[in-house]
Amino acid sequence: MATTLFTQNTIACVWDFDKTLIPEYMQSPLFRRYEVDEANFWRETNHLVEQYRKRGYRLSSEIAYLNHLLTYVLAGRMPKLNNKVFRECGAEIKFYPGIPEFFQRSKSYVTEHETYRKHEINLEHYIVSTGIAEMIRGSAIAPHIDDIWACEFIENPLQPGFIGQKELDITADAEIAQIGTIIDNTTKTRALFEINKGSNKNPAIDVNANIALEDRRIPFQNMIYIADGPSDIPSFSVVKKNGGTAYGVYHPGRPEEFRQNDALRQAGRIDHYGPADYTESSSTAQWLKLHIQAICDRIVADREAAVAKRVSRPPRHLSSQTPEEAAAARAAKEPKQGTFLE
């Protein structure tokens, strides 16, 4: 008997991180810990591509800051920087108002109505960021997130000949030494398709596999992508092109971010935008609730329509009356109109 892979009753809110959930870059606590001039670090990073080009090298701008962090470690400016330190610094990240409370509160939006509970609709939250995964895992939102796509580092790289060794030495004072995963503004779209197809939940599903729309775990029309600006245009485009919803946020005290979001909406890149305030009464929280529940309503309608289409009516007794006799019987039961003489 034919069956689909997933029931498609899951909604996904997919979040950018920096400038979307927090007002600064997530690496700021890290720079404070090591007393590194943050502005100078980013200024150096922005010049790396051109400086290496002059030396005859091609450097991808997407990995420039990750490489520069490794250089700071090698140069002794960030000694003993490892994943434990990243998590500790992640605990210092300050979020916009209403976070992380919004993540838990929003999950109640899909259980408020009996029809939503009947169809077992649920909401998942995902982070897709060019930042550092271990810092997000150490932050206050970690318990509320279903999965994270972000950059990762490797400590104590495996040495030549490691395949033949029965035991591998791990030093106590680990330091990051290699880049493990890179997420940039283009590869974010791969994460969206992994969420869409269910690759993150079932490793047997290859993200590059051709999967029918009805067999995907979270259809794009069940997805809301929330981010802060032009760097997320590739992800906004993928979500909107496939029937999903895109929402932009801006820092309330930065008019230039407001203008950026307004330009994105006028260009059709996003559906709407609002301040990065996720408290219950804020316009952003109310807009997200409205559209999460609109998705719930559509899921209910689609599933009930599918049931009606697939389930035939039970057989009924045939009437022995002719159509004319049935019409006469109905007419006899109808009330008679009185006259003005009565």
Side-chain angles (χ1 to χ4, degrees):
M1 186 176 79
T3 185
T4 56
L5 291 177
F6 302 105
T7 54
Q8 297 191 338
N9 58 349
T10 299
I11 299 169
C13 283
V14 185
W15 303 81
D16 177 41
F17 196 87
D18 293 353
K19 307 299 183 71
T20 297
L21 294 171
I22 64 175
E24 60 181 0
Y25 290 111
M26 72 168 70
Q27 296 85 0
S28 295
L30 180 68
F31 296 134
R32 289 194 290 268
R33 180 178 182 131
Y34 285 100
E35 298 182 348
V36 169
D37 186 322
E38 180 175 2
N40 186 61
F41 176 89
W42 293 118
R43 186 164 52 250
E44 290 175 347
T45 298
N46 292 335
H47 282 82
L48 284 176
V49 172
E50 178 60 20
Q51 290 298 319
Y52 279 121
R53 187 192 65 78
K54 290 177 179 178
R55 294 186 178 192
Y57 303 120
R58 286 185 178 179
L59 174 67
S60 170
S61 60
E62 287 79 8
I63 68 169
Y65 96 88
L66 302 175
N67 272 337
H68 210 39
L69 278 176
L70 290 175
T71 301
Y72 266 65
V73 173
L74 289 171
R77 297 288 304 279
M78 291 182 167
K80 299 181 181 179
L81 174 56
N82 55 33
N83 287 321
K84 180 174 179 291
V85 171
F86 282 137
R87 287 191 293 275
E88 290 172 354
C89 290
E92 300 175 20
I93 293 174
K94 304 300 182 184
F95 290 88
Y96 275 122
I99 298 295
E101 296 82 5
F102 176 83
F103 289 100
Q104 191 59 40
R105 187 173 68 248
S106 60
K107 294 198 174 187
S108 69
Y109 298 164
V110 301
T111 59
E112 283 188 358
H113 303 295
E114 174 60 30
T115 52
Y116 300 168
R117 295 193 295 273
K118 172 186 173 183
H119 290 278
E120 299 180 330
I121 299 173
N122 67 95
L123 174 67
E124 295 176 349
H125 291 287
Y126 295 98
I127 302 294
V128 182
S129 169
T130 60
I132 299 170
E134 286 298 327
M135 295 193 72
I136 300 171
R137 293 186 184 115
S139 75
I141 66 167
H144 308 283
I145 300 301
D146 292 272
D147 210 342
I148 297 167
W149 283 261
C151 302
E152 308 210 28
F153 289 97
I154 295 171
E155 306 165 347
N156 297 310
L158 296 172
Q159 300 300 307
F162 74 91
I163 293 178
Q165 296 177 352
K166 293 182 180 179
E167 294 184 6
L168 301 176
D169 293 331
I170 299 179
T171 61
D173 295 331
E175 274 188 341
I176 58 170
Q178 293 180 355
I179 299 171
T181 300
I182 298 171
I183 297 291
D184 59 37
N185 292 319
T186 302
T187 55
K188 278 184 174 185
T189 59
R190 177 187 173 93
L192 293 175
F193 279 102
E194 289 187 22
I195 297 167
N196 167 238
K197 294 182 179 182
S199 304
N200 60 315
K201 297 293 185 180
N202 185 348
I205 300 175
D206 191 303
V207 70
N208 295 312
N210 186 15
I211 300 175
L213 295 179
E214 63 271 18
D215 283 329
R216 301 188 181 198
R217 183 171 182 268
I218 303 180
F220 277 105
Q221 58 263 38
N222 289 12
M223 200 178 292
I224 301 176
Y225 186 79
I226 307 104
D228 67 293
S231 63
D232 282 281
I233 284 177
S235 296
F236 282 143
S237 297
V238 165
V239 172
K240 279 185 62 65
K241 178 182 177 182
N242 290 280
T245 304
Y247 188 81
V249 296
Y250 61 89
H251 189 295
R254 296 173 185 160
E256 68 279 6
E257 292 186 14
F258 177 89
R259 287 194 295 270
Q260 282 184 348
N261 278 271
D262 190 64
L264 288 173
R265 188 178 68 84
Q266 291 188 50
R269 299 290 192 177
I270 58 177
D271 293 289
H272 202 60
Y273 64 94
D277 176 354
Y278 303 96
T279 53
E280 192 166 8
S281 61
S282 71
S283 59
T284 289
Q286 292 185 69
W287 192 94
L288 290 172
K289 178 178 181 179
L290 177 69
H291 286 266
I292 287 169
Q293 293 193 323
I295 295 173
C296 290
D297 293 335
R298 182 185 45 73
I299 290 173
V300 169
D302 288 349
R303 287 168 64 83
E304 292 186 349
V307 169
K309 182 178 180 181
R310 288 173 171 80
V311 179
S312 60
R313 291 184 178 182
R316 294 174 296 174
H317 291 291
L318 295 176
S319 173
S320 58
Q321 292 179 309
T322 65
E324 293 77 11
E325 290 172 334
R330 286 196 301 273
K333 293 178 181 180
E334 292 175 356
K336 302 300 183 182
Q337 180 175 325
T339 69
F340 70 94
L341 294 177
E342 293 178 343

